Amino acid sequence: MFKNYFPARHFVKTAWRNIIRNKSYSLINVSGLAVGIAAALLIFIVVSYELSYDTFQKNYNNIYRIVTNTRHSDGNTDRNPGIQCPAIDALNAGFPQFIKTVPVTEDGSPQFTVVGDNANNDVAAGKKFIEENKTAVFTQPSYFDIFNAVWLAGNKAVLNDPSSVVLNKTLAIKYFGDWKNAPGKFLKLDNTILLKVSGVVEDAPENSDFPIIAFLSYEAFKRYGGTYGYDPYWGYLSSSNQLYALLPPASNIATVNAQLNAFLRKQQGRDLQSDKSYVLQPLKDMHFDYRYETFGDHSSNKNILLTLAFIGVLIICMASINYINLATAQAISRSKEVGIRKVLGSTRSSLMMQVMSETFIVVFISTFFAVLIAKLSLPYLSNVAAVPADIALLNTQTIFFLLAVMLIVTVLSGFYPAIILSRYQPVLALKNKIALANIGGISLRRILVVTQFAVSQMLIIGTIVAVSQMNYVQHADLGFNKEAVLVLPAYSDSANLSRMQPLKQQLLQNPDVVSVSFASDEPSSDNNSSTNFAFDHKDDKDFPLFIKNGDEDYISTFGLRLIAGRGLTASDTLKEAVVNETLLKKLGINDPEKAIGKDIRIGSSRWLPVVGVIKDFKTNSLREEVKQLAIFSRKTNYSTIAVKLHTKNMAQTVSQLQKIWEKTYPEYAFTSHFTDETIAKFYSQETRLALLYKIFAGIAIFISCLGLYGLVSYMAAQKTKEVGIRKVLGAGIANIVILFSKEFVWLIIIAFAVAVPVAYYFMHNWLQSFAYRINIGAGVFALAIITSLVIALLTIGYRAVKAAMANPVKSLRTE
């Protein structure tokens, strides 16, 4: 008999027969485990991908970025990934604590015009490409000593030449058909800098925060500083101007930070604010710190990744709980089988091995279907997570993960049922006297059900909070009108300044155009340009002033609200300024009217009169507080055209405006977007998170219902005779449903009591990343418990009605 279940082929055959004999239970087990393992596998792919960012860099543990923190008197701190241009020059010239340094200045969404073989070719006739949401950088040869690169043509020395450019392979193929054709060809950047392609490098991996498409000489940045933001003034700080350093291994970072700030303090007494400090930010932290921008397309939050990983573990545990509940429910019907095996000499260990083998087979089959489910889901994964559309499903990591999951789930799911079955007494088993009291463990099964529904309700609460916050974000009053505002590029170099006013007049002639404004950027953007300032002919303030440039129609185009004074009048240069409420609060001015006529000095400008005060509007995303702000005219800083449209015939209007724009700027490539699209991008990660919560809440509910069905099946098997007696005594279907439901209602209420504080803690902390957020009220929890009860009662009701409909005569014959 022993050979029937111990040798591999025989115990597998016995286990397989038991699985086939109980098709419905097996199907439920496989369904729950397959869905749970598939969800965990996809979570593992997302989390491992995010954690892999930049780990391929040879100097991963020793690369740092010098960032700037600006502390305000009210306790708030502004964080900027850049430092001042003169600080970059000074530190780059030599700082003994660094092995190497390299300046990296961003040129976002650059436009390249393919000139061809001859530098004298007509630029207007060349092919134009605007690389939206991509990054070119001005840097030095030392960049390639610090960061990885595979050179296909040329070498790092070419960046000593201000007229050279190095393209990545994809861009070289796009422009010239084959990357081998690129070297020696000419491009023009932003219709400003004529460049010779002097090198080609392989594309950066997708898991990189440095997806740079073109490298230009830092000397070119200095030469064309007025266009690209090089400013020798210590008071000017831009997030685009960054400095990276390679430090020796095991450097004392606190000591180096102190030395950096000692260097910074030497600049005090110039035009530098004393509340600034430099901090070394490790490369390994950059991807996970949203407070400082990177060149990549997104940042991640380690807490969110840990939460996702934890959800994956919980889903696996819930699937294992399902198996336990169904296996113990099934154990009663197998009591005679166990009794016979024990009488024939089977040991407890051999019975446990048989149960574990059955569990392994179920887990193996479930894993196979889990891989299929994950394979089918993989093309859609990039819609809910920031992973490449072609990310691999199976690799060394995921195979080891699946093997580990199979082992862990087999042990978690099979161990307890194996103990229960193997300890049956042969006499009771053969007489079919195994009952609730004999197998015990009902309290454990109750704990398992409570655990399942606690997890489900935590995810339901998380989903409600996340969706509510995103709805709040989408419908929040931003303080300006974001609807139907088309944003086009503008060019403010000396060759294009004269085109601005004629273009504006042509755009206004379209009957579907309400207003037009030239500006540096939209009211809400990722622009954090700031400078020092002074007010009312006093010394510089100890906090920075954030700045936006806009013409006389900026306020009306975006619907900003004046609360005192007037808007700007037409001017090409600094003439007057409009400030916001937050600035007045920081200056201690309670009445906006008292600010009108006061003078303000912005950076190194002359004193300007304050002519208006606008109501606060959201200058960045709702994660951040409104910043102290001044708006003034400076034609040379305009880079966008905001066009307010009537909402009818918008597609046709955009097409008409494109033709006007292209006629004005024939040497540039057309691009456009709407302001509401810019704002939506601020919250892409949160939108994905809300969708993930929905998906995982649905999976958790599905698995919980399977587990609940298993426990109700167990009770139905235990109460078969009781149900028969009750029906004979006149009990109706409703009475039977209540008999089965009342205990589970209490278990769900207990699960709710467990879930509420945990869910509140995590979601309250998540909401703290938003300066403007919803309150988690009682309605959130009421909706969660009602949802759980309705779903549970539907599940219980189905199985209870089935038991209640059974013939009482057959029920009373059951022993």
Side-chain angles (χ1 to χ4, degrees):
M1 185 278 306
F2 191 67
K3 69 180 181 180
N4 286 333
Y5 52 85
F6 183 71
R9 62 175 182 167
H10 294 295
F11 80 71
V12 169
K13 183 185 293 184
T14 303
W16 179 252
R17 285 173 178 171
N18 285 326
I19 292 169
I20 294 299
R21 189 182 305 124
N22 300 282
K23 293 183 179 65
S24 59
Y25 281 112
S26 299
L27 180 61
I28 292 172
N29 278 327
V30 169
S31 299
L33 287 170
V35 171
I37 294 172
L41 175 59
L42 293 174
I43 289 174
F44 176 79
I45 289 172
V46 171
V47 172
S48 60
Y49 176 77
E50 292 288 353
L51 293 177
S52 72
Y53 258 73
D54 295 315
T55 53
F56 61 87
Q57 295 286 358
K58 58 186 177 184
N59 298 310
Y60 176 69
N61 292 313
N62 301 312
I63 297 174
Y64 293 81
R65 176 170 62 176
I66 295 91
V67 299
T68 305
N69 292 343
T70 305
R71 188 183 65 258
H72 303 313
S73 55
D74 60 4
N76 291 325
T77 299
D78 289 324
R79 293 174 169 83
N80 194 304
I83 64 175
Q84 304 92 333
C85 290
I88 290 176
D89 294 340
L91 291 170
N92 196 39
F95 195 73
Q97 291 75 16
F98 299 153
I99 297 175
K100 284 183 181 293
T101 58
V102 63
V104 181
T105 293
E106 177 185 22
D107 180 21
S109 299
Q111 175 181 301
F112 287 102
T113 303
V114 179
V115 179
D117 296 318
N118 192 333
N120 297 317
N121 286 348
D122 182 13
V123 175
K127 289 186 178 179
K128 305 167 190 67
F129 301 90
I130 188 160
E131 304 297 340
E132 288 192 83
N133 303 316
K134 296 181 181 178
T135 300
V137 297
F138 296 92
T139 189
Q140 294 175 336
S142 56
Y143 178 93
F144 300 102
D145 296 325
I146 297 176
F147 296 98
N148 292 14
V150 177
W151 287 87
L152 301 176
N155 57 65
K156 65 180 182 179
V158 300
L159 288 183
N160 288 317
D161 182 356
S163 62
S164 287
V165 62
V166 175
L167 305 181
N168 74 353
K169 183 178 179 181
T170 295
L171 203 65
I173 292 172
K174 178 179 179 180
Y175 291 172
F176 304 107
D178 188 328
W179 68 264
K180 296 176 183 177
N181 298 331
K185 299 295 193 300
F186 289 89
L187 300 172
K188 199 161 191 180
L189 173 65
D190 299 328
N191 203 42
T192 302
I193 310 176
L194 185 65
L195 300 165
K196 181 179 180 180
V197 179
S198 302
V200 179
V201 294
E202 281 284 4
D203 295 3
E206 290 183 307
N207 56 338
S208 172
D209 280 314
F210 299 85
I212 297 167
I213 60 171
F215 301 86
L216 299 96
S217 171
Y218 195 72
E219 293 305 311
F221 170 62
K222 286 186 173 182
R223 180 176 297 180
Y224 297 91
T227 301
Y228 292 99
Y230 182 84
D231 194 325
Y233 179 50
W234 278 90
Y236 178 77
L237 178 65
S238 171
S239 59
S240 295
N241 302 326
Q242 301 181 15
L243 183 68
Y244 293 82
L246 180 63
L247 271 68
S251 294
N252 188 319
I253 302 305
T255 300
V256 179
N257 279 334
Q259 292 165 339
L260 277 172
N261 287 293
F263 158 82
L264 183 61
R265 283 192 296 273
K266 290 180 181 179
Q267 312 305 324
Q268 310 301 340
R270 298 188 182 186
D271 44 13
L272 186 65
Q273 293 160 230
S274 60
D275 53 2
K276 282 185 168 58
S277 61
Y278 291 157
V279 178
L280 288 173
Q281 182 191 31
L283 174 64
K284 60 186 178 183
D285 291 345
M286 281 175 49
H287 186 67
F288 307 103
D289 193 344
Y290 69 88
R291 301 173 302 173
Y292 303 98
E293 302 162 22
T294 69
F295 300 131
D297 60 353
H298 75 285
S299 295
S300 291
N301 185 314
K302 275 194 174 179
N303 290 331
I304 291 177
L305 293 179
L306 289 173
T307 300
L308 286 177
F310 184 59
I311 290 173
V313 171
L314 290 178
I315 288 175
I316 288 289
C317 291
M318 291 174 70
S320 298
I321 287 170
N322 271 1
Y323 188 93
I324 294 169
N325 285 337
L326 291 169
T328 51
Q330 189 185 358
I332 300 168
S333 63
R334 297 185 62 180
S335 58
K336 282 188 177 181
E337 174 196 343
V338 173
I340 292 171
R341 288 185 180 278
K342 282 201 168 186
V343 167
L344 294 176
S346 179
T347 63
R348 184 171 183 179
S349 60
S350 62
L351 285 170
M352 289 184 68
M353 185 177 296
Q354 180 185 335
V355 175
M356 293 299 288
S357 67
E358 291 175 16
T359 304
F360 176 78
I361 292 173
V362 171
V363 172
F364 180 82
I365 295 171
S366 302
T367 303
F368 173 77
F369 283 107
V371 172
L372 291 181
I373 294 171
K375 181 70 174 176
L376 294 173
S377 305
L378 202 61
Y380 307 100
L381 188 60
S382 59
N383 295 329
V384 297
V387 298
D390 59 350
I391 191 169
L393 176 65
L394 294 178
N395 53 39
T396 304
Q397 278 187 321
T398 53
I399 290 172
F400 275 111
F401 172 78
L402 287 172
L403 292 174
V405 166
M406 287 175 61
L407 176 62
I408 293 169
V409 172
T410 299
V411 173
L412 284 177
S413 303
F415 188 69
Y416 177 69
I419 291 176
I420 294 297
L421 275 172
S422 64
R423 76 180 185 186
Y424 282 175
Q425 297 298 319
V427 175
L428 293 175
L430 289 170
K431 290 182 178 181
N432 205 20
K433 296 293 185 181
I434 301 297
L436 183 63
N438 300 104
I439 67 172
I442 187 63
S443 59
L444 176 61
R445 282 185 292 280
R446 285 172 176 161
I447 290 171
L448 296 180
V449 171
V450 168
T451 301
Q452 282 190 317
F453 271 92
V455 172
S456 296
Q457 290 181 80
M458 281 189 280
L459 289 173
I460 291 171
I461 292 169
T463 300
I464 295 170
V465 172
V467 171
S468 299
Q469 175 64 19
M470 295 318 299
N471 286 337
Y472 171 76
V473 164
Q474 290 167 5
H475 300 98
D477 181 9
L478 301 178
F480 66 93
N481 190 345
K482 65 178 181 177
E483 304 299 333
V485 179
L486 180 70
V487 180
L488 310 174
Y491 302 96
S492 54
D493 55 279
S494 57
N496 286 300
L497 284 175
S498 60
R499 302 181 187 181
M500 286 185 172
Q501 198 60 32
L503 173 60
K504 185 173 183 177
Q505 295 306 316
Q506 290 180 61
L507 295 173
L508 286 170
Q509 289 174 12
N510 189 302
D512 290 318
V513 171
V514 178
S515 63
V516 177
S517 173
F518 282 91
S520 58
D521 58 306
E522 301 150 83
S524 281
S525 71
D526 56 6
N527 173 35
N528 285 312
S529 294
S530 65
T531 187
N532 63 316
F533 79 107
F535 188 79
D536 200 20
H537 295 276
K538 296 178 182 177
D539 292 338
D540 280 13
K541 295 298 179 181
D542 62 352
F543 55 90
L545 179 67
F546 292 85
I547 55 177
K548 289 183 183 291
N549 302 123
D551 67 11
E552 67 275 15
D553 295 312
Y554 188 79
I555 290 175
S556 60
T557 299
F558 286 103
L560 302 178
R561 304 162 198 168
L562 276 166
I563 58 175
R566 60 170 175 81
L568 300 171
T569 55
S571 176
D572 291 345
T573 58
L574 277 78
K575 175 183 174 184
E576 55 198 16
V578 170
V579 299
N580 69 349
E581 291 177 292
T582 295
L583 177 60
L584 297 191
K585 291 173 186 175
K586 286 182 172 289
L587 293 172
I589 299 174
N590 297 321
D591 183 1
E593 294 291 346
K594 292 181 179 180
I596 305 302
K598 298 286 187 181
D599 288 337
I600 186 170
R601 178 173 51 76
I602 300 171
S604 59
S605 73
R606 61 183 177 83
W607 290 95
L608 311 172
V610 174
V611 298
V613 178
I614 53 174
K615 189 174 180 61
D616 279 344
F617 61 86
K618 306 303 185 289
T619 50
N620 298 93
S621 76
L622 293 183
R623 298 188 201 94
E624 303 174 54
E625 298 280 357
V626 173
K627 294 179 169 64
Q628 57 280 5
L629 179 76
I631 302 173
F632 51 89
S633 297
R634 182 182 275 171
K635 196 172 183 179
T636 55
N637 284 357
Y638 297 159
S639 59
T640 62
I641 311 168
V643 185
K644 177 69 175 176
L645 305 176
H646 290 299
T647 54
K648 63 178 181 179
N649 303 322
M650 287 183 65
Q652 180 181 347
T653 304
V654 171
S655 177
Q656 293 169 350
L657 299 184
Q658 178 178 349
K659 292 177 182 177
I660 296 172
W661 187 96
E662 288 176 337
K663 187 177 180 179
T664 303
Y665 296 117
E667 64 271 48
Y668 293 95
F670 178 81
T671 182
S672 67
H673 66 270
F674 284 93
T675 295
D676 54 358
E677 295 171 348
T678 300
I679 294 169
K681 288 179 182 178
F682 287 155
Y683 312 106
S684 58
Q685 186 174 357
E686 286 77 9
T687 302
R688 286 170 170 167
L689 181 65
L691 182 56
L692 281 174
Y693 272 126
K694 290 180 185 177
I695 292 170
F696 292 133
I699 291 172
I701 290 168
F702 171 74
I703 293 174
S704 295
C705 289
L706 288 178
L708 190 59
Y709 183 87
L711 196 51
V712 174
S713 299
Y714 173 82
M715 287 185 62
Q718 288 292 297
K719 295 177 180 289
T720 302
K721 195 169 185 178
E722 179 185 344
V723 170
I725 293 171
R726 286 179 180 273
K727 288 194 70 177
V728 169
L729 294 176
I733 293 177
N735 301 109
I736 304 301
V737 171
I738 292 172
L739 172 68
F740 284 99
S741 302
K742 60 183 180 181
E743 177 180 352
F744 292 105
V745 169
W746 281 110
L747 292 179
I748 291 169
I749 292 172
I750 293 170
F752 176 72
V754 172
V756 165
V758 177
Y760 179 84
Y761 172 79
F762 281 106
M763 297 314 296
H764 177 75
N765 286 345
W766 177 71
L767 286 173
Q768 299 314 300
S769 64
F770 291 87
Y772 303 91
R773 52 187 176 266
I774 62 169
N775 293 316
I776 304 178
V780 171
F781 304 114
L783 182 58
I785 185 65
I786 291 170
T787 302
S788 298
L789 285 171
V790 169
I791 293 171
L793 289 174
L794 288 174
T795 305
I796 295 167
Y798 169 76
R799 188 62 184 86
V801 168
K802 187 176 179 181
M805 297 293 289
N807 189 333
V809 175
K810 291 183 179 180
S811 301
L812 291 172
R813 287 176 181 172
T814 301
E815 291 293 335

